[in-house]
């Protein structure tokens, strides 16, 4: 089962849900401490008073719903048309691993130059997987 390109998809879904739990475990106490009334929140800017540490985790959770959408579509496409060889599966795992590292950086030290490097490497994995599928047409 670990040879399937869909296993990294499941891993990234699981990681996204872990970050969702971390986000609320951080955000709810931060809201309470900052005196933010959840019933009065109407837009994202109403949370501007939260500490940066809580915002970073929420930002990362949002990021896990942006570029990974391309990964999900690409992994299912790769699986469906039968181009999910060992190299493609390794690229998928590399993408997931780099997204986890990206999350850990963003939700802790948030050092943007390193975070950007990790993001770029994960994007490169997607690009190579895309090119391999285009060449298989």
């Amino acid at each position: 089962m670990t040879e399937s390109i869909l296993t990294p998809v499941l891993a990234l879904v699981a990681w996204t849900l872990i970050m969702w739990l971390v986000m609320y475990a951080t955000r709810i106490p931060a809201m309470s401490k900052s005196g933010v009334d959840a019933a009065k929140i109407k837009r994202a800017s109403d949370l501007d008073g939260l500490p940066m540490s809580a915002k970073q985790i929420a930002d990362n959770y949002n990021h896990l719903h942006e570029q990974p959408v391309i990964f999900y579509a690409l992994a299912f496409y790769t699986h469906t048309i039968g181009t999910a060889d060992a190299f493609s599966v390794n690229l998928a795992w590399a993408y997931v691993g780099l997204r986890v590292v990206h999350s850990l950086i963003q939700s802790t030290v948030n050092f943007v130059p390193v975070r950007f490097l990790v993001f770029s490497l994960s994007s490169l994995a997607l690009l190579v997987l895309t090119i391999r599928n285009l060449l298989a047409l």
Side-chain angles (χ1 to χ4, degrees), residues 112-134:
V112 173
V114 174
R115 196 178 103 207
F116 179 72
L117 174 64
V118 172
F119 176 78
S120 297
L121 290 172
S122 68
S123 298
L124 183 61
L126 280 183
L127 179 63
V128 172
L129 191 55
T130 301
I131 291 170
R132 293 186 86 233
N133 277 293
L134 287 170

Side-chain angles (χ1 to χ4, degrees), residues 41-68:
I41 298 172
K42 301 291 182 202
R43 57 190 168 277
S45 63
D46 293 338
L47 297 171
D48 285 348
L50 294 182
M52 186 55 67
S53 59
K55 290 182 199 178
Q56 288 171 197
I57 295 168
D59 288 345
N60 182 259
Y61 178 71
N62 290 333
H63 291 167
L64 287 169
H65 291 85
E66 293 171 353
Q67 189 189 59

Side-chain angles (χ1 to χ4, degrees), residues 21-38 41 46-58:
L21 290 170
V22 171
M23 178 183 66
Y24 280 106
T26 306
R27 181 179 270 186
I28 292 170
M31 287 172 62
S32 178
K33 189 174 181 180
S34 298
V36 174
D37 183 356
I41 298 172
D46 293 338
L47 297 171
D48 285 348
L50 294 182
M52 186 55 67
S53 59
K55 290 182 199 178
Q56 288 171 197
I57 295 168

Side-chain angles (χ1 to χ4, degrees), residues 9-22 60-61 64 72 96 99-104 107:
V9 168
L10 178 61
L12 190 54
V13 168
W15 178 253
T16 301
L17 293 173
I18 289 168
M19 289 307 296
W20 172 75
L21 290 170
V22 171
N60 182 259
Y61 178 71
L64 287 169
Y72 296 137
V96 171
R99 290 308 304 205
V100 169
V101 170
H102 180 272
S103 290
L104 294 172
S107 62

Side-chain angles (χ1 to χ4, degrees), residues 53-99:
S53 59
K55 290 182 199 178
Q56 288 171 197
I57 295 168
D59 288 345
N60 182 259
Y61 178 71
N62 290 333
H63 291 167
L64 287 169
H65 291 85
E66 293 171 353
Q67 189 189 59
V69 171
I70 297 169
F71 167 70
Y72 296 137
L74 188 56
F76 280 102
Y77 177 85
T78 303
H79 175 76
T80 302
I81 68 161
T83 58
D85 61 7
F87 188 68
S88 293
V89 173
N90 286 334
L91 284 169
W93 278 116
Y95 180 78
V96 171
L98 289 163
R99 290 308 304 205

